[in-house]
Structure formats: structure tokens, C-alpha cells
Amino acid sequence: MHGTINCGLQVYICEIFGPDIWEETCSLAGLSGFGFETMLNYDDALTERLVNALTRVLGRERADLLEDFGTFVVSEERLEPVRKLLRLGGESYVEFLQSLEDVHDRAKIALPDLDVPRFELESHSAGRFTVHYRFEKLGFGAVFLGLLRGMADDYGALILIDHVPETLNEWDRDRFEISVMQLPVPDAVHDPTAISI
């Protein structure tokens, strides 16, 4: 796993749960006194040990923690470059979704060694979309779920998401069914005299 991801996990754990939880997690994972370097690559098994240790220390489900981490990635100032990369997709949440198929190539230009999922978008009627997610690292679809929710908040969009995890030939092949809700504009926006007191 690329150091950028592992550093993000370290920042997430320290910021949300505190340095003591980070130290306890590292100790349980056999990584006492460990710190990640952003530009290095690490064995995937090391990242798995870290995530598994965190679930045991906190007594929480892996998917819940990874979803929180995904939301954290797009809302934390220190991880701003990730959000900026995603915001290149457009000025609305729908435009962001429509740009997901380009994220893999854009990220590879910036960081050729970065592990990046591939996305495929299906558009349906009335603000409904299906995002097909393919990643060779198993069990990380929950991170993307959190990222989708975090980006919706960032764009000020109201969405409903159904995450359908699937595995095929050692790859995650998750599906995300997304509905972008259209909120009615209050009459007062169009006609200020419509406000009654």
C-alpha cells in the first residue's frame, strides 16, 4: 500500500482517537514506535495488520472504521490534496460523479505508484447513478463509500447511497447505487414578498 494511504490512516487515528490509540494500535499490530513516510510503498499485509488492530482496540467493525476514514480524507485540512484532486471533476456533485472515470489516470500522473481504484459510471433517469468500483485491494470499498458521502457534504448535495460489496477473482467489484435528491427551491427565493410573518 502506498505511504500516502498509510499516512492518512495515521493522521485519522491520531486526530480522531488520539495518539494513545495510535500507539496501542501499532503495538498490537507489531509496529511499536512506527511512523509512515508519504512517498514510500509498504507491504499490503502491514496495512491489513494496522486496520485489524484498530478494529480490535476500538471494538468497531472494519467497514464502519474505513467508511469514517473515507469521509475524514475529504474533510481533513492536512489531506487537502486528495479533496482538490477530486474537486477537479466539476462544480457540482453530479459533475464530480461524471468525472470519476478519470480519477485513476489523474492520480497516476501525480503519484505513479499510488494504489487507485478504477471507476465506471452508469447514468439512470432523474439523478440516479451506479458507480462500479474495481480495486485489487480487498475490503476497501467502505473507504470509497465514506469518500462519496464526504464529497456530497463538500458540494452541499443531498444523496442516498446503497453500497453493494462484491469480490471477483481477488478484486473488489463493489457497486454504489446513488440517488442525488433535488430539493425544491422555496418560493421566497423567487419572490421575497412570499414570506409571511
Side-chain angles (χ1 to χ4, degrees):
M1 190 72 76
H2 196 275
T4 302
I5 307 299
N6 289 332
C7 282
L9 274 169
Q10 182 175 349
V11 170
Y12 165 68
I13 295 168
C14 289
E15 184 71 23
I16 300 300
F17 305 107
D20 291 345
I21 295 295
W22 168 250
E23 289 176 18
E24 187 179 348
T25 299
C26 285
S27 178
L28 188 58
L31 304 169
S32 291
F34 202 81
F36 291 103
E37 295 293 330
T38 306
M39 299 309 291
L40 296 180
N41 280 308
Y42 296 89
D43 191 313
D44 290 348
L46 186 147
T47 306
E48 280 300 317
R49 288 201 331 257
L50 186 68
V51 171
N52 290 335
L54 182 62
T55 63
R56 288 165 57 195
V57 168
L58 296 176
R60 289 182 60 190
E61 294 293 322
R62 173 193 173 100
D64 292 341
L65 284 170
L66 291 180
E67 182 181 341
D68 286 349
F69 172 59
T71 303
F72 178 82
V73 164
V74 294
S75 59
E76 169 59 31
E77 279 185 29
R78 285 177 282 181
L79 302 174
E80 178 79 3
V82 176
R83 190 181 71 77
K84 284 185 176 178
L85 176 71
L86 295 169
R87 288 281 307 212
L88 287 174
E91 296 184 15
S92 72
Y93 190 73
V94 169
E95 289 178 3
F96 155 71
L97 291 176
Q98 291 168 338
S99 74
L100 281 175
E101 292 179 350
D102 301 326
V103 166
H104 182 273
D105 293 338
R106 283 201 313 258
K108 286 293 190 181
I109 289 170
L111 291 168
D113 294 333
L114 185 63
D115 305 307
V116 184
R118 292 189 178 274
F119 306 102
E120 200 175 304
L121 181 72
E122 279 184 72
S123 296
H124 309 292
S125 60
R128 290 179 49 251
F129 302 89
T130 301
V131 177
H132 298 276
Y133 159 102
R134 184 166 56 96
F135 196 35
E136 59 188 2
K137 316 291 183 191
L138 295 176
F140 283 88
V143 175
F144 185 58
L145 175 61
L147 189 144
L148 284 170
R149 292 189 197 282
M151 289 303 291
D153 288 344
D154 195 58
Y155 278 106
L158 179 62
I159 62 167
L160 298 175
I161 303 181
D162 186 21
H163 175 207
V164 183
E166 296 176 4
T167 303
L168 180 65
N169 298 328
E170 299 302 312
W171 282 66
D172 273 347
R173 299 287 302 234
D174 295 11
R175 192 173 78 245
F176 299 85
E177 303 288 346
I178 304 169
S179 294
V180 181
M181 312 305 286
Q182 299 298 321
L183 298 177
V185 178
D187 290 340
V189 172
H190 300 296
D191 179 11
T193 62
I195 300 174
S196 59
I197 299 176

